[in-house]
């Protein structure tokens, strides 16, 4: 497929006079072709089509919706290595990493198709009529969840496939029954066009309503702001910076009819090294920590940005081994020049605020390469300057030395909401770990024991969310099948004749699906 640089407005592809180009981050050179930037007219057309498609799309049988998701997966795979090669040019990410990310993208789509068919997400509940109840009869009450409406999805810089045009947010919204208007990330518009063409082909293959998908590209923030402000958009999914997420939250809250923003923004993912773990495996812990820190040039939202440990011989062994591993780490190209510039500024800020530089990787000699950095600081100094615990997006981490468990807990209390928190421990550390858990449960969406936070499994039990500022709404997740809940709302049907009820709530259909009758859980035949 030859890239055209066109926008996707429903089934139509069109160009605009205002254009921009992707930049190869390793060379700083512009990539062909130029891409059209959407304006007010294109945004209006996309939102109008999404609104018109909403009722027809959400009323389709669940099997049709699932077939659409599976068709998207097939169309993405059918593009072969050409998709990965273009993504590599636009991001600098290795082809092997991108092949894995494509597999995750396809897997997410298929997982949501399967989730649609099991029906548990429908939330079916029935309280049958009690006409003889005293002092007043009870009417027949039935509940299900329905989609909220068209969703604005923002492509992420660091996951050009798995968190972008056909990524987890798009898969969850489409599964829920919501048309999507995607604001493509300007750093990888060619990748966005490739994936958008797969979605459009899948929509044609499965006869989806026009407007179920549109792609708007553009190099500035005004397009995204206007999309969130549009009255036809009913929810927003965003992965990016804290500043960007908060700005969108404000726009959504100031609308005449506010809407939810599900923004994943900022996390330093604290790692706690307990004493017995340090005593028994300090060197291997340090090596695994640096591997996690430098994975993908540190451009993961689950990057281990702070490490907490009690003073002792084991900690000194850890620091020595971590310094050696950092020094030997190979710098990697960052996604964009702006991300690299912000990373360098974040590293400088840590040094300026009194953190001691413990180790730094060598200069890679390539444009926009990220040199890994490990800083150290005493807990007292961090408590006095909490800004040191703010996220530095890239392969930099801060080691915090604590004199006691109460002090370590005090530091954790001062840390903001997180996507993850990790405990490295042995069996003899369980009493200390138990002290940590109440705090970590309040601070993080996922708590990890004896592993590392980078690498997010896409499955039913995963939570990729957490208290602000990790996400805008800590009650939700952007990974796993529970992500569909973000784009649903409950509706109760009171006193309805059976033939007027939604199909899933009718007497002949109810037993197919998981449901509750008078609070009693029933497994459906489709489970």
């Amino acid at each position: 497929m030859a890239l055209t640089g066109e926008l996707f407005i429903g089934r139509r592809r069109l160009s605009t006079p205002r254009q921009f180009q992707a930049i190869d981050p390793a060379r700083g050179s512009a990539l062909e072709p130029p891409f059209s930037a959407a304006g007010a007219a294109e945004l209006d057309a996309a939102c109008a089509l999404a609104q018109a498609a909403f009722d027809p799309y959400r009323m389709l049988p669940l099997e049709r919706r699932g077939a659409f998701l599976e068709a998207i997966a097939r169309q993405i795979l059918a593009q072969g290595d050409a998709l990965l090669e273009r993504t590599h040019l636009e991001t600098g990410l290795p082809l092997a990493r991108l092949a894995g990310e494509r597999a995750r993208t396809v897997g997410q789509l298929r997982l949501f198709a399967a989730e649609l068919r099991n029906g548990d997400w429908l939330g079916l509940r029935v309280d049958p009529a009690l006409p003889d109840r005293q002092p007043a009869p009870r009417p027949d009450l039935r509940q299900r969840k329905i989609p909220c409406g068209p969703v604005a999805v923002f492509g992420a810089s660091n996951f050009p496939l798995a968190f972008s045009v056909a990524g987890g947010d798009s898969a969850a919204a489409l599964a829920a029954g919501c048309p999507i208007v995607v604001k493509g990330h300007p750093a990888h518009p060619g990748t966005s066009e490739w994936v958008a063409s797969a979605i459009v082909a899948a929509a044609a293959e499965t006869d989806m309503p026009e407007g179920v998908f549109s792609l708007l590209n553009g190099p500035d923030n005004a397009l995204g702001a206007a999309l969130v402000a549009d009255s036809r958009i009913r929810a927003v999914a965003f992965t990016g910076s804290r500043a960007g997420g908060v700005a969108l939250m404000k726009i959504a809250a100031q609308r005449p009819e506010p809407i939810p923003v599900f923004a994943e923004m900022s996390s330093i993912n604290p790692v706690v090294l307990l004493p017995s773990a340090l005593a028994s495996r300090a060197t291997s812990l340090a090596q695994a920590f640096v591997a996690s820190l430098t994975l993908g040039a540190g451009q993961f939202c689950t990057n281990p940005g702070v490490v907490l440990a009690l003073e002792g011989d084991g900690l000194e062994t850890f620091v020595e081994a971590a310094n050696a591993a950092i020094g030997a780490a190979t710098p990697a190209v960052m996604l964009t020049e702006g991300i690299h510039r912000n990373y360098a500024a974040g590293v400088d800020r840590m040094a300026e605020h009194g953190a001691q530089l413990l180790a730094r990787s060598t200069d890679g000699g390539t444009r926009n390469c990220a040199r890994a950095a490990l800083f150290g600081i005493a807990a007292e100094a961090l408590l006095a300057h909490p800004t040191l615990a703010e996220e530095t997006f890239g392969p930099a981490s801060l080691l915090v030395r604590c004199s006691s468990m109460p002090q370590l807990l005090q530091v954790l209390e001062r840390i903001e909401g997180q996507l993850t928190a990790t405990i490295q421990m042995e069996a003899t550390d369980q009493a200390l770990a138990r002290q940590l858990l109440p705090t970590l449960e309040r601070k993080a969406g996922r708590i990890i024991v004896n592993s590392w936070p980078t690498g997010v499994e896409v499955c039913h039990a995963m939570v990729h969310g957490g208290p602000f500022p990790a996400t805008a709404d800590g009650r939700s997740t952007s990974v796993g099948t529970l992500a569909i809940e973000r784009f649903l709302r409950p509706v109760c049907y009171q006193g309805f004749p059976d033939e007027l009820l939604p199909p899933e709530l009718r007497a002949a259909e109810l037993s197919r699906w998981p449901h509750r009758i008078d609070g009693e859980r029933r497994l459906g035949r489709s489970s």
Side-chain angles (χ1 to χ4, degrees), residues 9 12 38-47 216:
I9 310 298
R12 290 185 301 135
E42 293 75 36
L43 187 149
D44 180 70
C47 290
L216 303 175

Side-chain angles (χ1 to χ4, degrees), residues 266-287:
S266 175
S267 187
I268 57 171
N269 307 295
V271 176
V272 180
L273 308 175
L274 290 178
S276 294
L278 282 172
S280 63
R281 48 191 172 96
T283 299
S284 62
L285 281 174
Q287 293 167 345

